[in-house]
Amino acid sequence: MAGARAFGFKECRKIGGSQIRNLLNAKDFFLFDCDGVIWHGEKAITGAPKVVSSLIKHGKNVFFVTNNCTRPRENYLNKFLRLGFTDVMQEQIFSSSYCSALYLRDVAKVQGKVFVIGGEGVRNELLQAGIPFVGDEDAPDGTIFNCALASDVKAVLVGHDDKFTFLKLAKASCYLRDPECLFLATDVDPWHPLQDGRILPGSGCLTAALEVATGRKAMVIGKPSPFMFECISSQFRVDPAQCLMVGDRLETDMLFGANCGLDTMLTLTGISQMKTAQEYRDSDHSTNQSFVPDYVVDTIADFLPAFEN
Amino acid sequence: MAVSKCTRLNGSLIKQMLDSVDSVLFDCDGVIWRGDQAIPGAPDVINLLKKNGKKVFFVTNNSTKTRKMYADKLALMGFNATEDEVFGTAYCSAMYLKHVSRLQGKVYLIGSNAMRQELEKVGIQQTGVGPDLISGVQIDWANVPLDPEVKAVVVGFDEHFSYMKLNRALQYLNNPDCLLVGTNTDTRLPLEGGKAVPGTGCILKAVETAAQRQAQTVGKPNHFMYDCVASQFGLDRTRCLMVGDRLDTDILLGSNCGLKTLLTLTGVSTVADAEAHQESGCPKRLGMVPDYYVESIAELLPALQG
């Protein structure tokens, strides 16, 4: 295999000790996924709060990039504080719900209402961004045989919705018959793990249903789409070469990093396993290379020795 | 075997074609009716075919009615048809689970009452039908009580589809031995009254995405529905005609089973669609080119009346 390194070839190399220290010196921006990287559910990963505050103390820029759209950012901040991540500020938190609102307001500049399939996280961010929206609750007596459609709906936004119903699917697909009506998805994750290892259906399932209904593809805001990195870049001066994306899911976090031109690190405290990363690396399909991390650690707590000068 | 030529069926060719078949399989929506309105002339076509000694069957991907409900609807519209001539996916899914999967156990059903009834008729119990809204918190959802007798998740059209149902299906499908069966993958479901809503394909896709696996589908274009008819009535496929309005379900089923195929233009697909498949040269798409097409099945009438 000597000499076979193609452009974009990722080594998937487990690193420790001085290699981590060198990496920390080389990078100024650290982007962390949350679930499975810094916490599991309501429990911080051992050492993670210290890693984050050490990075910040050493003058590094830290951001949190999460596809989880179920909470508004203030709510996330409360969780960070509750779990011991005391130096984190709201501006460092980039969730797919927040970035969806930014997209609608600043990129699409939507004039009109948004039909929302989603919960408090999404709705709260739309409210804060000043974007009018309607959900299904406004016509509670509607059925699929007879439901009122709001006028002036210019976009449909699909996110995680535990109150998802067939009626919402039907209404959304009516709105999307107009090709001018935007079709946005917070993320396409098919499932999410809970603390105890069980899984729940993700936004990806609802988006897939709506794509089949409409024959249209959603514009995806969350990872692996690069849009959330564009959000960060629009608010902070970020150099991709100075960034490290740290995540636990090869098909979202590593691919996101590859799509944005960032170095990537897989931490093994979450969804993806070393074995899978190696299989992607060794596969014949060049597209699989984008799932492969540059670096691998067992846990981000492996950073801690590097801070002991 | 002659390559499908997408020939306009008219004049003496109609009688010639009809003489070459003993059995005719009709799709329903867009072929013999639209919603609750019969296509003009359709009842006469069916009734005359039978008078002329042909066997007639109705093969539909719609899973919202039992055979009996379809027979009642047919009768109401003036079609001379009996229950055992109707093959809908509610019935065929039950047959599939009983005779192909040989299911020993229960089904978690995302589907209609019709599906429940057809399952019960073959002795398969189900759990899950009806409204199912969310309550509790995330940890509750992941820990919903599972019926240990459930051995398959079955998905059909369900107006009560919800996140909770999707969640229950996922929890059952975490067991790799639990089967996943879908009635069909149609993207739209025509309602009585002419409206259309998202079809079973959407619901099935949500479940497949969560569980990260593909369902076994029973409906057209899968050959199972033809096998169902053929096994009960001893058909000769070389003397069978499949009449439909959708190239990707009806015509493809016909091609897959070696039947003659007739596209009618009173529904979804157009001649342009068919010609595009023909010109593509792609082997997968050639199965969607019908042998013949008509504007409406009413065009068969003169040959049947003469």
Side-chain angles (χ1 to χ4, degrees):
Chain A
M1 282 294 285
R5 266 192 74 137
F7 178 76
F9 181 82
K10 304 271 188 175
E11 283 193 47
C12 190
R13 197 162 48 108
K14 201 172 238 189
I15 59 171
S18 60
Q19 293 163 320
I20 294 187
R21 189 174 298 123
N22 293 341
L23 187 59
L24 296 185
N25 284 335
K27 301 295 184 188
D28 283 334
F29 300 89
F30 291 81
L31 281 62
F32 289 97
D33 174 37
C34 299
D35 298 303
V37 179
I38 63 171
W39 60 49
H40 286 133
E42 279 295 307
K43 201 160 170 289
I45 282 174
T46 310
K50 194 141 186 261
V51 168
V52 171
S53 45
S54 302
L55 283 168
I56 294 173
K57 270 205 190 71
H58 280 75
K60 304 294 181 184
N61 299 283
V62 176
F63 299 104
F64 301 94
V65 188
T66 176
N67 277 357
N68 192 319
C69 59
T70 60
R71 301 167 197 260
R73 292 199 303 165
E74 307 91 80
N75 214 297
Y76 267 123
L77 188 61
N78 290 338
K79 180 170 178 174
F80 275 99
L81 298 176
R82 200 164 61 239
L83 267 55
F85 297 86
T86 45
D87 303 315
V88 173
M89 299 198 289
Q90 190 166 302
E91 301 89 76
Q92 295 166 276
I93 304 170
F94 287 80
S95 62
S96 60
S97 32
Y98 170 59
C99 294
S100 297
L102 289 184
Y103 181 90
L104 286 162
R105 189 190 66 193
D106 301 334
V107 179
K109 301 195 210 284
V110 69
Q111 302 289 329
K113 300 192 196 95
V114 176
F115 180 72
V116 176
I117 294 177
E120 193 211 340
V122 174
R123 289 157 188 257
N124 204 294
E125 296 291 2
L126 289 174
L127 202 65
Q128 290 196 49
I131 298 169
F133 61 88
V134 288
D136 174 54
E137 299 71 26
D138 306 326
D141 298 327
T143 67
I144 58 172
F145 305 97
N146 180 18
C147 64
L149 292 180
S151 61
D152 204 33
V153 167
K154 293 290 194 285
V156 170
L157 174 61
V158 188
H160 189 276
D161 188 1
D162 46 69
K163 297 189 178 57
F164 181 79
T165 59
F166 185 79
L167 185 55
K168 291 188 185 189
L169 175 65
K171 283 186 162 179
S173 75
C174 284
Y175 291 124
L176 288 169
R177 275 208 287 257
D178 174 2
E180 302 290 306
C181 181
L182 298 178
F183 182 10
L184 254 59
T186 55
D187 70 282
V188 287
D189 295 348
W191 50 266
H192 302 290
L194 291 183
Q195 219 161 310
D196 59 357
R198 290 179 180 270
I199 66 176
L200 288 178
S203 318
C205 307
L206 312 185
T207 302
L210 193 47
E211 287 183 333
V212 171
T214 58
R216 294 175 59 168
K217 277 285 198 211
M219 150 96 198
V220 181
I221 299 296
K223 302 171 284 181
S225 156
F227 182 71
M228 292 216 281
F229 184 72
E230 290 166 29
C231 282
I232 299 175
S233 303
S234 71
Q235 295 181 17
F236 301 88
R237 287 178 56 204
V238 190
D239 176 5
Q242 301 280 318
C243 292
L244 181 69
M245 172 68 205
V246 185
D248 72 313
R249 200 163 195 172
L250 298 172
E251 297 84 4
T252 44
D253 303 315
M254 302 305 116
L255 182 53
F256 170 74
N259 286 341
C260 303
L262 317 178
D263 280 355
T264 51
M265 174 182 279
L266 175 70
T267 169
L268 299 176
T269 45
I271 292 174
S272 297
Q273 296 174 3
M274 183 63 153
K275 185 165 161 290
T276 318
Q278 288 167 334
E279 282 166 9
Y280 279 133
R281 182 196 58 196
D282 300 335
S283 103
D284 291 327
H285 297 288
S286 60
T287 45
N288 287 344
Q289 291 306 313
S290 308
F291 299 134
V292 182
D294 288 295
Y295 311 105
V296 181
V297 292
D298 287 316
T299 157
I300 62 168
D302 289 351
F303 287 17
L304 289 173
F307 295 115
E308 292 149 21
N309 291 352
Chain B
M1 191 182 310
V3 175
S4 297
K5 275 193 292 247
C6 201
T7 308
R8 179 78 165 88
L9 196 68
N10 52 19
S12 58
L13 195 52
I14 301 184
K15 185 151 197 321
Q16 213 178 308
M17 192 275 293
L18 289 175
D19 287 342
S20 74
V21 301
D22 299 326
S23 306
V24 187
L25 283 63
F26 286 93
D27 173 41
C28 300
D29 294 302
V31 179
I32 64 170
W33 64 49
R34 274 197 212 100
D36 45 17
Q37 299 283 321
I39 298 279
D44 290 330
V45 170
I46 269 71
N47 299 342
L48 283 169
L49 278 167
K50 287 185 152 192
K51 247 190 162 165
N52 288 357
K54 311 291 184 195
K55 293 202 190 105
V56 172
F57 304 100
F58 305 91
V59 183
T60 173
N61 274 358
N62 192 318
S63 61
T64 63
K65 290 184 169 38
T66 59
R67 315 180 86 189
K68 169 97 182 38
M69 292 168 176
Y70 273 120
D72 291 345
K73 178 173 176 172
L74 285 161
L76 210 63
M77 289 193 191
F79 294 92
N80 176 9
T82 59
E83 208 178 303
D84 57 347
E85 290 163 349
V86 179
F87 291 77
T89 50
Y91 170 68
C92 289
S93 297
M95 295 303 283
Y96 181 88
L97 289 163
K98 184 79 180 174
H99 299 295
V100 178
S101 312
R102 298 187 188 280
L103 190 77
Q104 300 281 331
K106 285 187 185 169
V107 158
Y108 174 68
L109 177 62
I110 294 177
S112 57
N113 256 310
M115 289 193 69
R116 177 184 59 77
Q117 288 176 50
E118 294 287 20
L119 284 168
E120 283 172 5
K121 255 187 149 175
V122 298
I124 296 176
Q125 297 300 310
Q126 63 76 46
T127 170
V129 84
D132 187 1
L133 296 176
I134 206 92
S135 63
V137 293
Q138 284 198 338
I139 201 74
D140 302 323
W141 312 335
N143 287 296
V144 283
L146 298 182
D147 186 328
E149 291 184 63
V150 166
K151 298 286 191 283
V153 170
V154 177
V155 182
F157 182 77
D158 186 1
E159 59 173 310
H160 299 293
F161 183 62
S162 65
Y163 181 84
M164 194 48 156
K165 289 191 169 199
L166 174 62
N167 174 53
R168 282 190 215 270
L170 174 59
Q171 303 312 328
Y172 279 116
L173 292 167
N174 272 331
N175 176 355
D177 295 330
C178 183
L179 300 179
L180 174 56
V181 176
T183 53
N184 61 302
T185 56
D186 297 53
T187 61
R188 308 283 287 160
L189 178 88
L191 297 178
E192 316 292 324
K195 276 184 69 177
V197 290
T200 306
C202 308
I203 300 173
L204 189 58
K205 191 69 173 188
V207 176
E208 289 180 321
T209 303
Q212 294 283 284
R213 56 158 131 160
Q214 280 228 291
Q216 170 64 56
T217 47
V218 170
K220 301 173 282 184
N222 188 296
H223 58 86
F224 179 73
M225 289 188 86
Y226 173 75
D227 294 345
C228 240
V229 186
S231 67
Q232 292 182 21
F233 289 90
L235 303 183
D236 174 0
R237 67 180 74 231
T238 63
R239 294 190 60 83
C240 264
L241 175 69
M242 175 72 211
V243 185
D245 70 310
R246 289 190 66 132
L247 301 176
D248 60 345
T249 50
D250 306 315
I251 304 305
L252 190 53
L253 170 72
S255 302
N256 285 346
C257 300
L259 317 179
K260 299 189 192 4
T261 52
L262 172 63
L263 172 71
T264 172
L265 301 176
T266 44
V268 171
S269 299
T270 64
V271 180
D273 295 333
E275 286 171 348
H277 289 312
Q278 191 169 28
E279 276 143 36
S280 76
C282 168
K284 273 192 166 175
R285 291 177 69 177
L286 290 178
M288 294 195 270
V289 182
D291 293 313
Y292 310 105
Y293 72 91
V294 286
E295 295 280 333
S296 151
I297 62 169
E299 290 181 7
L300 303 176
L301 278 173
L304 289 167
Q305 287 158 338

